[in-house]
Amino acid sequence: MTSGGFLLLAVLAVPAFGALAVAAIPRDRAARLVGVIAATLTLVAAVALPVGRNQGWTAYAATAAAVRPWHAVDLPWAPGLELRFHLGVDGISWPLVALTALLTLLCCVYTLWRVPGRGDGRALVALLLVVEVGILGTFLALDLVLFFLFFEVVLLPMYAIIVGWGGDGADPASRDAGRRAGRKFALYTLSGSVLLLVGVYVVVAAAGTADIVALTGGTELSRTTQLAAFSLLALAFAVKSPLWPLHSWLPDAHTQAPTVGSVLLAGVLLKMGTYGLIRVAVGVAPEGARWAAPALGVLAVAAILIGSLVCLAQTELKRLIAYSSVGHMGFVLLGVATLTATGIQAALVGNVAHGIITALLFFLAGAIKDRTHTGALSELSGLRETAPRLSGLLAFAAVASLGLPGLAGFWGEAFAVVAAVESGGALWTTLAVSAAIGGALTAAYLLRLLRRVTHGEPTPAVAVLGPGLATAELAAWTPLVLLTLAVGLAPTLVLGIAEAPVEALVGVLP
Amino acid sequence: MSGPSLVQSVDHVALLPAYVAAGTAVLVLLVDLLLVRASATVATAVAGAVITAVAAAAVGSGADRRTFCVGTDCSYVFGDWSALVAALVALLVLGVLALSGPLLRAGNTPVGEYCFLLACSMTGGVVLGAAGDLITLIVAVEVLTLPLYVLVGLRRGSLASAEAAVTFFVVSVVATTLTLLGAALLYAATGGLHLERLGTLLADEAVPDLPLTTVAVILVVAGLAFKVAAVPFHAWAPATYDGAPLPVAAYLSTASKLGGVIALLAVVSQALPPEVTGPVLALVAALTMTVGNLVALRQRRTVRLLAWSSVAQAGYILAPLGALALSGDAAARSTAYAATVAYAVFFVLLELAAFAGVVALRPAGADGGDLDDLRGAARRHRWVGAGLAFALIGLAGLPPGLAGLFAKVTVVRSLLGGGAGWLALVVAVNAVIGLAYYLRAAALLYAPAGEVTAVGVRPARAVAAALAVTTVLAVIVGFAPQIVLDLAGG
C-alpha cells in the first residue's frame, strides 16, 4: 500500500480506535486527554493528505475519469452487495476533511475544559470521535454503498449527543425538549438516508457497479434512471443540508444540542448533504441534475429569503444562528444548482467558510449561554460593557457571516450570485437578484443581533460577567478566527485546490 | 406414478441430523426419568442441540443427498440449504435453552417436559429444510409448532399464558387446515405433490389454468403466512408472545418464524407460479411491515413491542419474494431468495439477542413487563443494557448495529434489482417508522431511573453468555456480511 493509502486509512482508523480507547479508559480526565490526542493525530494525518499527491494529470489522461483521487485505497468488503472499501481524496473533499478534523479537535479541546450539563465527559468525547469517523468516511468514500454506510454512522452518536448532553441541566421540561429535538433530528435524518439507500441501489442496479469513479458522468445510465436517481438522492441530501422546506429539524436540534454538538452539526454535518449533492447526485446523475436544476435553484433562493426573514424574527440566540445556517446553505445550494464551474467552486468555498464561521458563532453563543444561563435576546444586552472580548469576537464572527469582503463568508455568497447571473435567462437572473436581496437581509438580521446583544445597557444577566476568557476557549476559537481571515484574504486556499477536480466534474455534465 | 418396487432404499446419512434431533428428545425424557436432576436433563438437551448442528453441517458439507424417492421425485433432499436451516434451528434451540435458565431454576416449570418439547420442535425444524414434498413440509411445520402449544401455556397459574396457548392453538390449527386444503386442491388439479414436480407441472402450458389452481396456491400461501404472523394473519402473535414465558416467546419469534419463512420460501421458490404468489406476497409484505410498525409505535409492554416489531420484520423478510412477479429472469429470482434468507438470518440473530437482553434484565421467571420497567436499566447493568440497546438498534437497521443495516441493504438491493421500486420505498418509509420505537426503547435504557425503584436483578450467567455470544456474532456478521450472504446464496 502506498503512503497515501496508509494516510487515508489512518484518517479513519485513528479516531475510531481513539473512540474505543476513550471508552475503555475508566478515568474521566485521562480519557478526555486521550481523545484530544487522537483528534490531534487525525488532524495531522488529514493535513498531510495533499503531500505527495498525484499531480501528474497525464498519468490519468488516458482514462479521463472525472474523479481523479490523489490517493486511493480499494479493498473488497461485501461483493454480494457491491460494497467495496474504496476511499480516496481529491481537491473537492480535502478541504472538508481538514475542516472536520480541525473542528473535532477543537471540540475535544473544549470538552477537556468544560463538559456540558450533567453528562459524562468521557462518553461525550468518544461520541465526538465516532461522529468524526462517520463524517470523514462520508467525505472519503468513493463507493456509493460505503458512502451510504458512513452517512448512517453519524446519525445515532449525534442523536446521543443532543439528547444526552443537550438542554439546560436538570430541568425536566428542558430534558423533554432535548429528547424531542433529538428524535426529530434522528427521524428526519433517517428519512433522508433511507432515500439515499434506495437512490444508491437504483444506480447500482442499473449500472452494476457502485464505484463513484466509474459512475461519475452518468455514462452508463439511461435518462429515466438518472431522473429517478437524482430525485431520490437530491431529496436525501436536501434533508441533510437542509434545504427549505425540509429544514425544520435543524433549529430544534441546534437549540437543544450542547455547544460542541452544535459546532459539529453546523460546521461539518450539514456539509455531508452539499458534498453528497456535488459528488454523488450531480456526479452520478448529471442529466437528472440538469433536469432538476431550476427547481433546486428556486428552493435554494426560497431558503435564503425565508431563512433570513425568520432570523429577523428570532428571539433566541442559538435558534437565530441555526436559522442563519438555512440561509447560508441556500447560497451553497444555489451555487450547486447553477451546475457551472463558478457555481460549484462557490459552493465549495461557501461550505468551508460556513463551517468555520458558524462553528465560531456557536462556540461564542455557547459561551454566552453558559455564562448568562439564558439565550433570550431580550435578556441579553450590553455585552460590550462587561465582556468586551467576547463581544468583539461575536461582532467579528457576525460580520464574517454576513459576507463582508475580506472575510471568509464573502466569496461563497458573492460567487453563487455571480454564477447565477452568468447562467443567464430570466429565471436565473431573477434568482440571482433575489439571492442578493437575501444577502442584504442577512446583513440586517446579523446587525440586529449585534445591536441587541453587544450594545445597550447591560441586563442583570450580563452585568455579572467578567471580561476574561478561559485558555481552552481561546485555544478553540483562535484557529477559527485565523482561518476566517485566511480564507477571506486568500480564497485560493480552497479554490486553487478544488479547481482541477471541479473542471473535470463540469466537463462531464451534459 | 407407480414405482417398480414398494421397498425404498433409505439413505440414513441424509436423515442423520433428524435422527439426532429426535434422539435428543427421547434421551431427554429418559434422563429426566432416570436421573431426576434438572441439570442433567438440560445438559442432555444442550448436547443434543450441539450435536444436531454439527451433524447438519457435516452431512450438508457433502453432495446433496436425496432419499424417499419415487422416480426422480424425492421427499427428502438434504443439501447446503437444508443444512443451513437445520443448523440454525439447532443453534436457536441452544440459545433458547440458555435463556430458559432462570425460568427452569425458578421451579414452576417441569424441566423434563420443557426440554423434551423443545427438542421435538427442533426435530421439526431440522426436517423442514429438507422437505421435498408438500406433505413432508406441512408435517415438519406441524412438528415444529405442535410442542409450542404446550410450551406457551407453561406459565402455571397465569391466565394470560393459558389464553395465549388457546389462541395460538386455534389459529395454528386453522392455518394448517388451510394449507392442507390448498395442498389437496393442488394435488387434485395437477396430480403432483413433490415441490419440484409441482413447479414443472404448473409452469407447463399443457396444464389447464383452472381458477382452482389459483385458489389452491393462495390457500397454501395464506396458511403458511399464519405461521410467519404476516398481516392479515398476525393477530395471534402479540397476545401469544406476551402470554408465553419469555424464552418461549423468543423461540416463537425466531425459530418458529424462521420455520414459517423456510416453508413459504420452499413452496414459492420451487412449486408455485411466481406470477400468482408474487403480487400476493408483495401486498402481504407491504401490509405486514406497515401495520406491524404502526401498531408497535403505541405499545407500552416490552414483549408486545417486540412482538409487533417482529410482525413488521416478517414484512421485510417477505418483501424480496414479492418482487418475484415482475422479474422473469432466474438470476434476479435467486437474488431475491438469497435476500430473504439473509434477512431472516440477520433477524433471528438480533431478535434472539434482544430477547436475551430482556430476559437478563427481568427477574427470574417473570414476564416481559412494561417498557418503563427497563428505564435506566443500562445504567445499572452496563454490559447487558448495552447488548440490548445494540440489538434494538440493529433491528432498526442503523450503525453500530451493522448486521441490521446490511439486512435492510440486502432487501432493498434485491427489490430494486427485481424491479419492485415501490416496495423498496415502502421498506424505506417503514425503516423510519421503525426507528421511532426502537430508538424510544433504546433511549429508555439510558434514561435516568427517576422515582422508579428498580427491582434488584442479577442477570443469570447463562443468559448473559447467550447475549454475549449473539452480540459478538452480530458484530462479526456486521463487519463481514458476506459470510451470511454466502450462506444464504449457497
Side-chain angles (χ1 to χ4, degrees):
Chain A
M1 187 177 293
T2 61
S3 60
F6 181 75
L7 268 182
L8 277 176
L9 287 185
V11 166
L12 289 183
V14 170
F17 285 107
L20 286 179
V22 170
I25 295 172
R27 286 191 40 230
D28 188 39
R29 199 167 166 82
R32 279 186 272 162
L33 205 60
V34 169
V36 171
I37 294 170
T40 314
L41 291 177
T42 313
L43 179 62
V44 170
V47 168
L49 278 174
V51 177
R53 65 180 193 251
N54 207 333
Q55 298 274 27
W57 294 90
T58 44
Y60 283 88
T63 59
V67 180
R68 295 163 225 181
W70 301 338
H71 315 291
V73 176
D74 193 359
L75 304 168
W77 187 351
L81 299 172
E82 276 90 17
L83 169 60
R84 294 184 69 80
F85 194 76
H86 188 178
L87 301 176
V89 63
D90 69 358
I92 294 182
S93 53
W94 181 75
L96 293 169
V97 170
L99 180 67
T100 309
L102 175 71
L103 288 184
T104 315
L105 173 62
L106 298 183
C107 288
C108 287
V109 168
Y110 193 80
T111 310
L112 200 58
W113 167 69
R114 177 185 187 91
V115 178
R118 65 239 152 245
D120 168 12
R122 202 165 56 105
L124 178 60
V125 170
L127 287 173
L128 287 174
L129 289 173
V130 176
V131 170
E132 182 182 25
V133 174
I135 300 175
L136 289 175
T138 310
F139 292 147
L140 293 178
L142 283 183
D143 181 285
L144 281 179
V145 185
L146 188 68
F147 179 90
F148 161 75
L149 213 64
F150 278 118
F151 206 81
E152 292 267 70
V153 165
V154 178
L155 202 158
L156 282 181
M158 200 66 211
Y159 162 83
I161 290 176
I162 294 173
V163 173
W165 286 267
D168 286 328
D171 177 18
S174 145
R175 291 189 57 89
D176 277 347
R179 259 202 297 281
R180 267 200 304 279
R183 284 170 68 86
K184 201 166 171 185
F185 163 78
L187 294 179
Y188 259 89
T189 322
L190 183 67
S191 18
S193 44
V194 290
L195 290 177
L196 175 62
L197 172 64
V198 177
V200 161
Y201 274 101
V202 165
V203 173
V204 173
T209 174
D211 185 357
I212 292 181
V213 178
L215 284 169
T216 301
T219 41
E220 305 184 15
L221 304 178
S222 70
R223 186 178 155 79
T224 333
T225 314
Q226 288 205 25
L227 298 193
F230 188 84
S231 313
L232 287 164
L233 296 171
L235 257 178
F237 296 131
V239 175
K240 198 83 169 184
S241 301
L243 180 61
W244 182 86
L246 301 171
H247 66 283
S248 73
W249 60 270
L250 179 100
D252 291 346
H254 271 306
T255 316
Q256 296 301 328
T259 303
V260 287
S262 293
V263 167
L264 275 191
L265 198 57
V268 279
L269 215 79
L270 308 186
K271 275 67 188 177
M272 289 163 63
T274 43
Y275 172 80
L277 198 63
I278 296 172
R279 165 120 304 154
V280 177
V282 173
V284 170
E287 247 183 88
R290 185 65 76 197
W291 165 74
L296 206 58
V298 170
L299 288 176
V301 170
I304 299 173
L305 291 173
I306 293 171
S308 311
L309 289 173
V310 172
C311 275
L312 274 173
Q314 284 308 306
T315 54
E316 214 273 348
L317 186 58
K318 284 186 87 173
R319 225 177 155 78
L320 190 152
I321 303 174
Y323 267 113
S324 86
S325 289
V326 177
H328 287 301
M329 293 317 277
F331 277 103
V332 173
L333 291 165
L334 176 65
V336 178
T338 62
L339 296 180
T340 60
T342 318
I344 294 179
Q345 287 264 36
L348 290 174
V349 78
N351 251 346
V352 173
H354 177 257
I356 300 168
I357 297 169
T358 311
L360 183 59
L361 273 173
F362 272 116
F363 265 131
L364 294 167
I368 293 172
K369 268 187 97 167
D370 285 342
R371 283 170 166 75
T372 60
H373 304 289
T374 175
L377 293 183
S378 55
E379 294 175 41
L380 294 169
S381 80
L383 200 63
R384 204 170 54 154
E385 309 287 332
T386 55
R389 288 177 208 161
L390 197 56
S391 152
L393 279 169
L394 184 68
F396 173 81
V399 169
S401 180
L402 68 81
L404 192 76
L407 294 176
F410 171 69
W411 301 105
E413 311 204 344
F415 278 103
V417 175
V418 169
V421 172
E422 280 177 358
S423 294
L427 174 70
W428 289 103
T429 313
T430 319
L431 289 181
V433 171
S434 316
I437 295 172
L441 288 174
T442 311
Y445 70 74
L446 283 165
L447 292 174
R448 167 178 168 268
L449 169 73
L450 283 184
R451 186 175 57 77
R452 295 284 295 268
V453 175
T454 61
H455 290 60
E457 285 294 309
T459 56
V462 176
V464 295
L465 295 190
L469 297 178
T471 322
E473 289 180 321
L474 280 178
W477 302 344
T478 314
L480 295 176
V481 173
L482 293 180
L483 270 178
T484 308
L485 284 168
V487 174
L489 295 174
T492 172
L493 281 177
V494 179
L495 295 177
I497 218 162
E499 191 180 353
V502 169
E503 291 293 344
L505 177 64
V506 174
V508 298
L509 291 177
Chain B
M1 257 219 306
S2 60
S5 157
L6 289 176
V7 182
Q8 288 179 326
S9 75
V10 176
D11 181 356
H12 291 286
V13 178
L15 289 168
L16 186 66
Y19 288 155
V20 176
T24 305
V26 177
L27 202 62
V28 162
L29 264 195
L30 285 179
V31 168
D32 185 52
L33 205 64
L34 298 177
L35 293 185
V36 204
R37 279 185 45 199
S39 56
T41 313
V42 175
T44 314
V46 167
V50 172
I51 298 173
T52 307
V54 172
V59 176
S61 65
D64 284 10
R65 288 176 168 276
R66 308 164 78 88
T67 188
F68 299 120
C69 294
V70 179
T72 53
D73 302 323
C74 297
S75 298
Y76 194 91
V77 186
F78 203 92
D80 298 341
W81 161 250
S82 342
L84 174 69
V85 175
L88 261 181
V89 170
L91 292 177
L92 285 171
V93 167
L94 196 63
V96 170
L97 277 171
L99 298 197
S100 313
L103 176 75
L104 297 180
R105 206 164 300 142
N108 281 330
T109 313
V111 178
E113 283 84 336
Y114 186 89
C115 292
F116 167 72
L117 290 167
L118 264 184
C120 286
S121 176
M122 173 170 79
T123 313
V126 168
V127 175
L128 179 62
D133 68 39
L134 272 178
I135 301 305
T136 313
L137 189 82
I138 292 167
V139 169
V141 171
E142 275 317 293
V143 173
L144 177 70
T145 3
L146 207 65
L148 293 174
Y149 307 143
V150 185
L151 282 174
V152 167
L154 263 187
R155 256 182 39 217
R156 285 185 187 161
S158 158
L159 192 61
S161 186
E163 272 179 10
V166 173
T167 316
F168 184 40
F169 176 71
V170 173
V171 170
S172 213
V173 167
V174 172
T176 311
T177 320
L178 282 182
T179 319
L180 276 173
L181 182 59
L185 290 179
L186 271 180
Y187 182 68
T190 64
L193 271 179
H194 291 89
L195 298 176
E196 286 169 9
R197 170 164 294 268
L198 272 173
T200 43
L201 283 173
L202 288 172
D204 193 354
E205 299 292 328
V207 174
D209 189 17
L210 296 173
L212 185 65
T213 324
T214 311
V215 171
V217 168
I218 289 175
L219 281 177
V220 170
V221 170
L224 292 175
F226 264 110
K227 304 281 179 186
V228 199
V231 175
F233 315 113
H234 63 288
W236 62 273
T240 307
Y241 286 22
D242 201 17
L246 273 176
V248 177
Y251 189 82
L252 277 171
S253 76
T254 56
S256 166
K257 180 163 297 216
L258 184 72
V261 170
I262 298 299
L264 205 50
L265 192 61
V267 292
V268 168
S269 70
Q270 296 181 40
L272 304 183
E275 22 332 327
V276 182
T277 56
V280 173
L281 284 173
L283 190 66
V284 167
L287 275 176
T288 304
M289 55 184 111
T290 312
V291 172
N293 274 325
L294 288 177
V295 182
L297 281 175
R298 300 186 48 82
Q299 297 309 311
R300 290 282 173 272
R301 284 185 61 79
T302 312
V303 174
R304 279 190 185 255
L305 179 88
L306 285 175
W308 281 106
S309 93
S310 105
V311 169
Q313 301 277 353
Y316 303 135
I317 297 180
L318 295 182
L321 299 181
L324 291 176
L326 300 163
S327 65
D329 64 312
R333 272 204 229 156
S334 60
T335 315
Y337 302 141
T340 292
V341 179
Y343 194 98
V345 172
F346 283 123
F347 163 71
V348 291
L349 195 59
L350 292 166
E351 183 83 349
L352 189 65
F355 269 101
V358 174
V359 174
L361 292 173
R362 298 285 300 152
D367 63 358
D370 287 331
L371 273 175
D372 274 330
D373 296 336
L374 294 178
R375 178 179 287 277
R379 291 169 182 259
R380 297 190 291 276
H381 306 285
R382 252 180 86 194
W383 293 104
V384 174
L388 177 55
F390 181 83
L392 290 171
I393 296 304
L395 286 171
L398 278 178
L402 281 176
L405 178 71
F406 282 123
K408 294 260 182 340
V409 168
T410 314
V411 167
V412 169
R413 176 177 174 274
S414 80
L415 286 176
L416 288 168
W422 69 272
L423 202 51
L425 280 174
V426 175
V427 169
V429 170
N430 271 288
V432 179
I433 306 176
L435 178 70
Y437 60 84
Y438 286 122
L439 194 59
R440 197 184 60 198
L444 203 62
L445 291 171
Y446 286 92
E451 306 88 59
V452 184
T453 44
V455 195
V457 182
R458 267 179 58 96
R461 218 172 285 154
V463 181
L467 179 60
V469 170
T470 42
T471 308
V472 168
L473 280 178
V475 170
I476 291 175
V477 297
F479 279 104
Q482 195 60 36
I483 300 176
V484 174
L485 296 176
D486 285 344
L487 279 176

